[in-house]
């Protein structure tokens, strides 16, 4: 009987070993599996691979994208990609059916043609490939990201997509079978090697059977505890009940705290900078490049690539003067090599227009005078464009803000929580520039620009040959842009229109031009009638929070003569 049990144990052990090792080797499933796209009857200019495809459980996810020709893959935040797609026809790849190893995709009707999305500012990165691309999905920052595929915007976007991911079809019994097989083999050999004793009773057989049972139970993970007494059993039950109740209460408390903490974390994590630092560097470098090209040839059309609003308007005016050979300097070149500070708003949706204000310089030298810029992105398919650029004024400061500061938000011209609304602050600045004794003057910090304007207006009045000079300033609607700062204040960019009217009295001498540009604009060196000079005054200033004892401080400002003409 002993030999029979030994042989059976060894046979069972050998079978268990073969099966266990087989599951780890020649019967093992592939390490990765591939999911392919379903057949789609319609074509679209865009294919959107949504963030749900990048399932953390399937990490790492590797996509193989095939196309008939050249195409691009652009990575962006999911809501930004959705906003860029808009009403265009597209194929949405929403997930992976891991059971059937198929991609989940659907077709949405819409516009048959779109602009080429490659390289647009809204995307973190755009990669181009010819026919085939292998894309390893890596999110550059927290949050959900989507991949937008396009073949120029007119041709059909790629839909031949396959995704490889780690295979989770594991063989859970491989290791237990190997261990069980080894134990059974050892037991069988040991039992076979045992020398038989005197056959007094059937105890040897019973012991052998018991040994096999113990080994089997050990392999199966079943334990045989000592039987407790009735008293111990009652105490244990009571203790277990109390323990379970306590754990239940503790679990509920922890669950509530966890939910609260998760909700708070989710709320904080839901907001992201509208542009990353890498994107911002790329945008500023391209803005400098495109505007420099436009400046080189005074090309208004080329200027449209990276300019809008007041900046574009004033640049075009300067181009016109240079073409007519007026006595005027070329416009200030942009220097964006180094970012000193950046007020980049945070958002959790694709809300437009988007506004950012930055301070840049050509190097990190402390003596280098930095420039203050404001850029606006009108919509998802538009790039950021410069609407304000000027040298920072002496002794002025711009708050040190890092990209991604969660307290930076975009505000409107009527935003509250500040010493006054940005619109009223611009109007107050206009009054202070017009009248040195204006009641609003105490709200503004001392500024060389304000002093220079007052001195120039005083000199103009003296040189007006007894004519009366009146200044009238107004705020340009639509040019006011506002971004909050971490201390509760705001950076405000805007433009003032300034009209200086020289009204001659009956006995006054003819008005004479005081400089070459005025003479060229007027078309004469003097005038016997009334004269109106038009200036633009683009400004950027810091507006403190409501309750702050700080004063409004000009960061950058300039005065640009646009026109001089006789009026009735």
């Amino acid at each position: 009987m002993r030999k029979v049990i030994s042989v059976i144990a060894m046979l069972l052990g050998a079978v268990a070993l073969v099966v266990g090792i087989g599951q780890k080797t020649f019967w093992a499933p592939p390490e990765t599996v591939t999911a392919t796209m379903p057949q789609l009857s319609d074509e679209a200019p865009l294919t959107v691979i949504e963030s749900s495809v990048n399932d953390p459980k399937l990490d790492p996810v590797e996509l193989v994208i095939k196309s008939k020709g050249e195409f691009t893959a652009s990575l962006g935040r999911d809501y930004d990609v959705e906003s860029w797609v808009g009403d265009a026809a597209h194929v949405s790849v929403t997930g992976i059916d891991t059971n059937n190893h198929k991609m989940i995709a659907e077709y949405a009707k819409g516009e048959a043609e779109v602009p080429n999305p490659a390289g647009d500012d809204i995307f973190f990165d755009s990669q181009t490939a010819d026919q085939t691309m292998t894309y390893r999905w890596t999110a550059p920052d927290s949050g959900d990201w989507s991949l937008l595929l396009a073949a120029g915007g007119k041709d059909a976007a790629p839909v031949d997509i396959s995704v490889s991911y780690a295979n989770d079809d594991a063989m859970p019994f491989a290791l237990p079978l190997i261990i069980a097989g080894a134990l059974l083999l050892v037991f069988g050999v040991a039992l076979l090697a045992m020398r038989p004793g005197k056959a007094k009773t059937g105890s040897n057989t019973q012991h052998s059977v018991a040994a096999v049972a113990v080994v089997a139970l050990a392999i199966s993970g079943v334990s045989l505890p000592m039987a407790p007494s009735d008293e111990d059993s009652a105490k244990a039950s009571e203790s277990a009940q109390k323990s379970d109740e306590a754990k239940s209460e503790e679990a509920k408390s922890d669950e509530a705290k966890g939910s609260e903490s998760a909700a708070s974390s989710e709320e904080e994590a839901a907001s992201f900078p509208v542009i990353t630092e890498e994107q911002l560097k790329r945008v500023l470098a391209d803005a400098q490049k495109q505007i420099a090209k436009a400046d080189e040839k005074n090309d208004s059309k080329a200027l449209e690539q990276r300019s809008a609003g007041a900046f574009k308007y004033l640049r075009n005016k300067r181009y016109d003067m240079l073409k007519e050979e007026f006595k005027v300097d070329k416009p200030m070149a942009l220097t964006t090599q180094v970012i000193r500070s950046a007020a980049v708003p945070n958002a959790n949706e694709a809300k437009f227009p988007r506004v950012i204000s930055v301070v840049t310089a050509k190097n990190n030298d402390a003596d280098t005078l930095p420039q203050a810029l404001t850029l606006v992105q009108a919509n998802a398919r538009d790039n950021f464009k410069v609407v304000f650029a000027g040298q920072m004024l002496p002794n002025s400061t711009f708050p040190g803000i890092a990209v991604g500061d969660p307290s930076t938000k975009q505000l409107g011209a009527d935003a509250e929580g500040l010493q006054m609304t940005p619109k009223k602050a611009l109007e107050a600045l206009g009054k202070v520039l017009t009248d040195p004794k204006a009641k609003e003057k105490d709200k503004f910090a001392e500024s060389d620009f304000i002093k220079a304007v007052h001195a120039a207006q005083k000199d103009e009045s003296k040189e007006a040959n007894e004519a009366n000079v009146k200044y009238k300033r107004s705020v340009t609607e639509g040019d006011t842009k506002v971004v909050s700062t971490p201390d509760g204040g705001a950076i405000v960019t805007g433009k003032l229109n300034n009209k200086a009217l020289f009204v001659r009295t009956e006995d006054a001498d003819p008005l004479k031009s005081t400089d070459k540009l005025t003479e060229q604009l007027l078309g004469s060196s003097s005038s016997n009638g009334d004269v109106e000079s038009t200036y633009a005054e683009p400004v950027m200033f810091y507006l403190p929070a409501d309750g702050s004892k700080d004063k409004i401080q000009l960061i950058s400002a300039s005065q640009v003569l646009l026109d001089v003409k006789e009026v009735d």
Side-chain angles (χ1 to χ4, degrees), residues 11 69 86 89 135 189 302 326 358 415 442 462 566:
L11 286 173
Y135 191 93
V189 171
F326 282 7
V358 296
D442 292 335
K462 285 182 180 179
E566 288 188 353

Side-chain angles (χ1 to χ4, degrees), residues 171-458:
M171 293 288 193
F173 299 109
L175 189 59
L177 284 170
I178 293 172
I179 296 172
L183 288 173
L184 285 168
L185 279 175
V186 171
F187 172 75
V189 171
L191 189 62
L192 191 63
M194 287 175 61
R195 296 181 64 182
K198 293 181 179 180
K200 292 181 179 180
T201 63
S203 61
N204 286 341
T205 302
Q206 292 173 359
H207 290 164
S208 298
V209 174
V212 174
V214 169
V215 171
L217 288 170
I219 292 171
S220 63
V222 178
S223 60
L224 298 173
M226 296 295 291
S229 65
D230 292 341
E231 186 179 350
D232 290 340
S233 179
K235 287 181 179 177
S237 298
E238 186 179 350
S239 173
Q241 185 178 357
K242 290 180 179 178
S243 176
D244 288 344
E245 288 177 0
K247 286 180 180 177
S248 178
E249 291 298 322
E250 186 178 348
K252 287 179 182 177
S253 175
D254 289 343
E255 187 178 349
K257 288 179 182 176
S259 299
E260 225 174 273
S261 174
S264 175
S265 299
E266 188 177 348
E267 188 176 347
E268 290 177 7
S271 184
F272 305 100
V274 296
I275 188 172
T276 65
E277 188 170 355
E278 291 84 353
Q279 286 172 279
L280 179 58
K281 289 177 180 178
R282 189 177 76 228
V283 167
L284 291 172
D286 191 60
Q288 176 179 326
K289 178 183 176 181
Q290 298 301 332
I291 291 172
K293 282 184 178 180
D295 288 347
E296 185 179 357
K297 298 181 179 180
N298 299 326
D299 189 346
S300 297
K301 188 174 182 180
L303 190 64
E304 294 177 1
Q305 294 289 329
R306 283 291 182 181
S307 71
F311 179 87
K312 177 184 175 183
Y313 171 75
L314 295 176
R315 212 77 168 187
N316 277 323
K317 283 288 187 180
R318 183 61 58 91
Y319 289 172
D320 292 340
M321 291 180 184
L322 288 168
K323 289 175 183 177
E324 294 182 31
E325 298 184 354
F326 282 7
K327 194 69 175 180
V328 64
D329 295 331
K330 289 187 71 67
M332 176 195 73
L334 298 190
T335 55
T336 64
Q337 290 88 330
V338 176
I339 300 174
R340 296 279 184 90
S341 187
V344 177
N346 285 259
N348 58 4
E349 58 182 343
K351 186 177 179 180
F352 296 92
R354 291 174 171 176
V355 179
I356 58 176
S357 289
V358 296
V359 172
T360 63
K362 63 181 180 181
N363 54 44
N364 285 311
D365 193 334
D367 295 330
T368 300
L369 197 60
Q371 292 181 353
L373 294 85
T374 294
L375 300 93
V376 173
Q377 185 180 29
N379 56 65
R381 294 185 182 181
D382 200 6
N383 285 334
F384 276 98
K385 296 182 178 181
V386 180
V387 295
F388 175 90
Q391 297 282 5
M392 284 186 66
L393 297 170
N395 303 317
S396 65
T397 59
F398 188 102
I401 311 173
V403 176
D405 191 312
S407 60
T408 306
K409 305 293 179 186
Q410 187 171 317
L411 305 176
D414 296 320
E416 298 181 348
L418 305 164
Q419 285 186 353
M420 61 182 79
T421 66
K423 181 180 179 181
K424 288 183 178 178
L426 278 164
E427 292 172 350
L429 177 59
K431 292 176 182 177
V432 171
L433 291 173
T434 300
D435 182 7
K437 297 179 181 180
K439 63 180 182 179
E440 292 85 359
K441 64 182 178 62
D442 292 335
K443 295 184 179 294
F444 290 83
E446 189 174 296
S447 167
D448 288 344
F449 177 75
I450 295 175
K451 290 179 180 178
V453 169
H454 289 163
Q457 290 175 171
K458 187 176 181 180

Side-chain angles (χ1 to χ4, degrees), residues 110-124:
E111 298 170 359
E113 292 186 7
V114 296
N116 188 353
D120 278 7
D121 290 348
I122 203 166
F123 300 113
F124 177 82

Side-chain angles (χ1 to χ4, degrees), residues 487-502:
D487 61 359
I491 302 297
V492 181
T493 301
K495 182 169 77 72
L496 297 173
N497 298 311
N498 175 24
K499 291 188 179 294
L501 182 60
F502 296 80

